[in-house]
């Protein structure tokens, strides 16, 4: 088989564009827009244009699936209006998104994007077979899709790596300055245009007519000697873990849910791969895969339900637990369908999962409403329990309350606690820094719990270190005006406990004490020329303004120190520290301005 000629490549590319004009136009337009944005500033792609990027990514699979569907209908020309529905759906999705450049975007928007992205790709798996069904044609369609995906990734990947190496060579050999953003632009071009166009250029059109099975020997070997043995290994591990649970009489750990789900999905994939030859091939493992895999899977599904229901009972529903529970129901339903169903049409796998992804994204039955309502009920139960015990809770209960408040604050649902606590929770928890871009800060849970008088049982103090966190936050674009007359040197300083970069000012090294006792200026040439700026007592005094120190007067954020040789003034603009057991201070971060004068 020879390499395709240039005429053949261009002919296939042109044919693909005629077949998928909207899809390829969407991919080309989106890629060029992203390339243009990166050319201005790569950060803008995710900050200022994040919602546009998500919409462009979402549209590709939905448009491809719609074209596959239309091609299988009688008189396809009359059904092209379906593409307008998809276009309208993309527009509605874009409009419903908030400004993705904000720091406190509700995570449900990202989750909903992921659900629609998964649904769009699942749509590809069954779009040509919604109204007609042929088991062999369906298997060949999935095979062709996998080959097309592999080919497009290979072609676009090799092209990208080859061009990157060429750019690096030119930059190194000829001293040509190639900006780093060119590599990002090239990646967008290869992924968005080359990869999509390659995938669509050689995809079969008469999908329903491909009814001859061509089962490769390599595929048989892969299934028989790699996939099925892996499934057996996972089954042995999970059965051994189930035996351990029975012997120790302990409930299963939450992470076992993911292993059971992975096992079930891998089993379903193997079922699809061996379906055409399962009854004809001379292989004991493939012949017996059905029904024994599904029989062995049923006890593990029970283990899956026990694990996830335990987590839900202890901590309520979150989006993650909602999806795990929903997938557990789906796995159980598919297993029973494949064991006892009469038709056993494999398209039911992607179709049912597609419906699950769409339905879980909205409505009172959806992941977001059920999760939020569950966490509110959890909070109400813990709050009532605390009231009955004089507002005293255990450390575990306190941490649960903090976690729930933080969860609701992130999802802009914190005001729903008003009726429970009898306060305006939003005003209590919102970030009081007038320049902040966030609605709620890190200390929102503690603010609320302090406001309603929830305290940790003092009897637990012996086994748990009590720690209070304090911070001062100033926006990067805040205008600072301070008198600087009388000083010789100035430095903007930043210290944190994970980056001990050596700082200097006027020939003096700046040393930070992590215990928060002091900041020391030292001259390595003249060891006697040093200056101590005591800071611990000032940080202790600032705690009277609360955990967020934005209300502290400017004067109390200014420290001065001097001796015979040096005078220094430190202006604090950012702080992050904690006080342990009321008198021990742990220093995490300091930002500020330092002025120095040699006397």
């Amino acid at each position: 088989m020879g390499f395709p000629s240039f005429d053949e490549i261009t002919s296939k590319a042109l044919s693909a564009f005629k077949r998928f004009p909207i899809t390829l136009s969407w991919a080309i337009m989106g890629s060029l827009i992203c390339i243009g944005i990166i050319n201005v500033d790569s950060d803008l792609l995710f900050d200022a244009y994040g919602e546009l990027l998500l919409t462009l990514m979402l549209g590709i699979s939905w448009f491809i699936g719609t074209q596959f569907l239309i091609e299988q209908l009688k008189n396809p020309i009359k059904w092209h209006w379906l593409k307008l529905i998809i276009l309208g759906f993309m527009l509605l999705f874009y409009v419903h998104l908030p400004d993705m450049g904000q720091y406190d975007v509700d995570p449900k928007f990202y989750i909903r994007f992921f659900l629609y992205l998964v649904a769009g790709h699942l749509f590809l798996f069954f779009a040509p077979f919604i109204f007609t069904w042929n088991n062999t044609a369906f298997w060949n369609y999935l095979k062709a899709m996998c080959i097309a995906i592999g080919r497009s990734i290979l072609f676009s990947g090799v092209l990208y790596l080859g061009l990157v190496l060429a750019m690096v060579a030119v930059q190194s050999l000829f001293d040509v300055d190639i900006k780093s953003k060119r590599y990002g632009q090239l990646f967008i071009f290869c992924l968005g245009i080359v990869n999509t166009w390659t995938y669509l250029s050689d995809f079969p059109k008469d999908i329903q007519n491909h009814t001859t099975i061509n089962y490769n020997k390599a595929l048989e070997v892969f299934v028989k000697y790699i996939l099925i043995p892996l499934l057996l290994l996972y089954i042995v591990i999970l059965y051994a873990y189930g035996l351990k649970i029975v012997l120790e009489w302990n409930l299963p750990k939450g992470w076992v849910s993911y292993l059971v789900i992975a096992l079930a999905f891998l089993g379903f994939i193997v079922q699809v791969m061996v379906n055409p030859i399962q009854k004809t091939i001379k292989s004991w493992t493939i012949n017996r895969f059905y029904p024994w895999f599904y029989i062995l899977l049923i006890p593990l599904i029970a283990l899956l339900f026990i694990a996830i229901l335990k987590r839900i009972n202890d901590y309520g529903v979150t989006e993650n637990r909602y999806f795990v529970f929903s997938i557990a129901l789906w796995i159980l339903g598919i297993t029973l369908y494949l064991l006892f169903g009469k038709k056993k049409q494999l398209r039911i796998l992607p179709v049912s999962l597609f419906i699950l992804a769409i339905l879980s994204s909205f409505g009172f039955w959806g992941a977001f409403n059920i999760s939020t309502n569950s966490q509110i009920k959890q909070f109400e139960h813990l709050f009532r329990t605390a009231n009955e015990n004089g507002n005293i809770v255990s450390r575990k209960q306190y941490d649960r309350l903090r976690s729930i408040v933080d969860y609701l604050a992130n999802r802009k649902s914190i005001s729903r606690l008003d009726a429970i606590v009898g306060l305006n929770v939003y005003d209590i928890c919102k970030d009081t820094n007038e320049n902040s871009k966030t609605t709620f800060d890190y200390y929102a849970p503690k603010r609320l719990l302090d406001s309603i008088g929830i305290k940790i049982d003092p009897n637990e103090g012996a086994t748990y270190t009590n720690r209070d966190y304090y911070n001062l936050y100033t926006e990067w674009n805040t205008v600072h005006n301070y008198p600087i007359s009388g000083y010789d040197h100035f430095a903007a300083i930043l210290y944190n406990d994970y980056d001990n970069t050596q700082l200097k000012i006027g020939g003096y090294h700046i040393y930070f004490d992590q215990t928060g006792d002091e900041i020391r200026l030292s001259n390595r040439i003249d060891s006697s020329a040093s200056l101590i700026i005591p800071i611990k007592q000032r940080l202790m005094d600032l705690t009277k303004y609360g955990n967020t120190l934005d209300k502290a007067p400017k004067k109390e954020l200014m420290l001065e120190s001097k001796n015979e040789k040096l005078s220094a003034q430190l202006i604090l603009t950012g702080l992050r520290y904690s006080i342990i057991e009321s008198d021990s201070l742990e220093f995490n971060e300091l930002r500020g301005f330092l002025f120095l004068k040699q006397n």
Side-chain angles (χ1 to χ4, degrees):
M1 181 178 177
F3 289 101
S5 64
F6 179 77
D7 290 339
E8 183 180 356
I9 293 175
T10 55
S11 175
K12 287 186 176 181
L14 182 60
S15 177
F17 190 85
K18 291 180 179 179
R19 184 181 176 190
F20 301 95
I22 295 181
T23 304
L24 286 174
S25 296
W26 182 276
I28 294 170
M29 176 192 68
S31 299
L32 293 178
I33 290 174
C34 292
I35 290 172
I37 293 172
I38 292 176
N39 192 59
V40 177
D41 186 350
S42 59
D43 291 337
L44 293 176
L45 187 60
F46 301 98
D47 294 339
Y49 299 97
E51 57 274 21
L52 177 62
L53 176 63
L54 295 184
T55 307
L56 291 172
M57 292 171 60
L58 191 62
I60 299 294
S61 58
W62 282 94
F63 282 119
I64 296 175
T66 304
Q67 179 62 30
F68 285 165
L69 169 62
I70 291 174
E71 289 178 348
Q72 310 311 311
L73 300 174
K74 294 181 179 179
N75 199 353
I77 297 177
K78 292 184 178 181
W79 292 94
H80 282 291
W81 57 268
L82 290 174
K83 297 178 184 178
L84 296 178
I85 293 180
I86 299 300
L87 189 61
F89 170 70
M90 293 298 118
L91 180 61
L92 288 175
F93 177 80
Y94 175 80
V95 171
H96 110 286
L97 290 174
D99 180 4
M100 306 307 285
Q102 297 178 1
Y103 292 102
D104 60 342
V105 175
D106 190 334
K108 73 168 176 275
F109 292 102
Y110 294 107
I111 297 173
R112 188 173 284 129
F113 161 75
F114 178 75
L115 289 173
Y116 293 157
L117 185 68
V118 169
H121 284 78
L122 289 170
F123 182 44
L124 290 176
F125 284 95
F126 64 86
F129 297 91
I130 293 178
F131 301 108
T132 57
W133 174 249
N134 183 290
N135 188 61
T136 305
F138 180 72
W139 190 88
N140 282 324
Y141 169 73
L142 296 182
K143 179 183 177 182
M145 179 179 291
C146 292
I147 293 174
I149 291 173
R151 182 180 64 247
S152 62
I153 292 175
L154 176 64
F155 286 7
S156 58
V158 170
L159 177 63
Y160 176 73
L161 291 176
L163 292 176
V164 164
L165 290 175
M167 292 166 65
V168 171
V170 170
Q171 188 173 9
S172 301
L173 297 176
F174 300 99
D175 295 326
V176 177
D177 182 22
I178 300 178
K179 297 180 180 179
S180 59
K181 61 185 176 182
R182 302 302 177 211
Y183 296 95
Q185 291 173 317
L186 179 61
F187 179 80
I188 295 294
F189 173 80
C190 291
L191 179 65
I193 299 178
V194 177
N195 182 73
T196 305
W197 212 320
T198 304
Y199 172 76
L200 298 175
S201 63
D202 201 25
F203 202 90
K205 187 173 183 180
D206 298 326
I207 295 171
Q208 300 289 349
N209 295 327
H210 291 257
T211 56
T212 301
I213 293 295
N214 182 17
Y215 205 90
N216 298 332
K217 186 66 177 178
L219 183 60
E220 177 188 339
V221 171
F222 179 63
V223 172
K224 185 190 302 185
Y225 296 109
I226 295 180
L227 291 185
I228 292 181
L230 279 176
L231 284 172
L232 292 175
L233 175 62
Y234 291 147
I235 289 173
V236 170
I237 292 172
L238 287 170
Y239 267 85
Y241 179 66
L243 180 61
K244 177 176 178 289
I245 291 172
V246 172
L247 293 176
E248 297 180 355
W249 204 244
N250 289 325
L251 290 172
K253 296 180 180 180
W255 62 266
V256 74
S257 304
Y258 301 107
L259 189 55
V260 176
I261 290 172
L263 172 68
F265 271 89
L266 182 58
F268 295 153
I269 292 172
V270 171
Q271 180 64 53
V272 172
M273 295 175 71
V274 303
N275 183 259
I277 48 89
Q278 191 168 13
K279 296 180 180 179
T280 58
I281 194 171
K282 294 181 179 179
S283 169
W284 187 90
T285 54
I286 294 179
N287 294 151
R288 299 295 186 275
F289 181 80
Y290 176 88
W292 286 107
F293 170 76
Y294 301 98
I295 294 173
L296 293 173
L297 186 61
I298 289 177
L300 299 180
I301 295 175
L303 183 66
L304 169 59
F305 274 104
I306 293 172
I308 185 58
L309 289 175
K310 175 182 179 293
R311 299 290 293 177
I312 291 175
N313 181 66
D314 290 344
Y315 305 109
V317 182
T318 60
E319 289 89 358
N320 182 58
R321 293 176 200 129
Y322 175 96
F323 292 127
V324 171
F325 183 73
S326 300
I327 292 174
L329 290 174
W330 178 79
I331 291 173
L332 176 61
I334 293 297
T335 301
L336 295 177
Y337 172 79
L338 292 176
L339 279 174
F340 305 110
K342 293 182 179 180
K343 295 183 178 180
K344 295 182 177 59
Q345 295 181 357
L346 293 180
R347 65 178 173 181
I348 196 66
L349 277 75
V351 169
S352 56
L353 201 55
F354 170 85
I355 294 172
L356 181 62
I358 296 295
L359 290 180
S360 61
S361 68
F362 67 94
F364 65 86
W365 59 81
F368 310 115
N369 279 333
I370 288 181
S371 299
T372 301
N373 292 335
S374 174
Q375 292 303 306
I376 291 173
K377 289 181 179 178
Q378 286 273 314
F379 182 91
E380 183 175 12
H381 172 71
L382 291 169
F383 179 71
R384 303 303 181 203
T385 302
N387 284 344
E388 294 171 1
N389 197 34
N391 282 352
I392 301 298
V393 296
S394 66
R395 165 58 62 177
K396 183 177 180 180
Q397 290 173 324
Y398 188 85
D399 289 342
R400 278 292 299 133
L401 288 167
R402 284 180 61 103
S403 175
I404 293 170
V405 174
D406 187 59
Y407 174 91
L408 295 174
N410 288 335
R411 285 151 181 80
K412 307 299 180 289
S413 300
I414 201 165
S415 294
R416 294 184 60 181
L417 297 178
D418 291 359
I420 298 174
V421 301
L423 297 170
N424 189 326
V425 179
Y426 180 88
D427 288 340
I428 294 171
C429 295
K430 70 179 181 181
D431 194 338
T432 54
N433 186 337
E434 61 182 9
N435 293 317
S436 176
K437 294 181 180 180
T438 58
T439 306
F440 303 99
D441 64 12
Y442 179 79
Y443 303 98
K446 191 175 191 314
R447 288 180 179 179
L448 176 58
L449 298 182
D450 287 346
S451 299
I452 58 180
I454 301 294
K455 298 184 181 299
I456 301 171
D457 188 345
N459 295 326
E460 294 194 23
T463 59
Y464 187 88
T465 300
N466 290 313
R467 180 191 294 260
D468 280 324
Y469 296 89
Y470 299 88
N471 84 324
L472 171 67
Y473 173 77
T474 305
E475 278 288 339
W476 65 270
N477 58 351
T478 300
V479 177
H480 297 275
N481 291 294
Y482 301 101
I484 61 173
S485 59
Y487 291 96
D488 302 322
H489 304 282
F490 161 77
I493 61 174
L494 168 63
Y495 165 82
N496 53 55
D497 53 8
Y498 53 85
D499 183 11
N500 297 315
T501 303
Q502 182 65 62
L503 301 176
K504 295 181 180 180
I505 180 172
Y508 289 82
H509 293 267
I510 306 172
Y511 296 95
F512 292 88
D513 183 359
Q514 191 173 358
T515 63
D517 287 341
E518 62 187 29
I519 297 174
R520 180 165 55 92
L521 304 179
S522 178
N523 189 313
R524 294 182 178 178
I525 298 176
D526 183 4
S527 59
S528 64
S530 62
L531 179 66
I532 301 297
I533 305 177
I535 191 174
K536 179 177 179 179
Q537 189 56 49
R538 180 61 58 88
L539 297 182
M540 290 288 191
D541 294 340
L542 287 172
T543 60
K544 64 186 177 184
Y545 297 105
N547 297 92
T548 302
L549 306 176
D550 52 278
K551 293 182 180 179
K554 282 188 175 182
K555 288 185 178 180
E556 297 201 32
L557 299 175
M558 301 170 65
L559 294 88
E560 294 183 352
S561 182
K562 64 181 180 179
N563 57 24
E564 294 180 355
K565 294 186 177 182
L566 297 173
S567 295
Q569 182 182 65
L570 174 63
I571 299 173
L572 302 172
T573 60
L575 285 170
R576 184 164 55 87
Y577 63 98
S578 58
I579 295 178
I580 310 168
E581 300 292 358
S582 302
D583 59 355
S584 178
L585 189 145
E586 184 176 292
F587 200 41
N588 303 114
E589 183 178 304
L590 180 145
R591 288 184 286 116
F593 305 125
L594 180 62
F595 301 91
L596 184 66
K597 176 185 177 182
Q598 293 177 319
N599 297 329

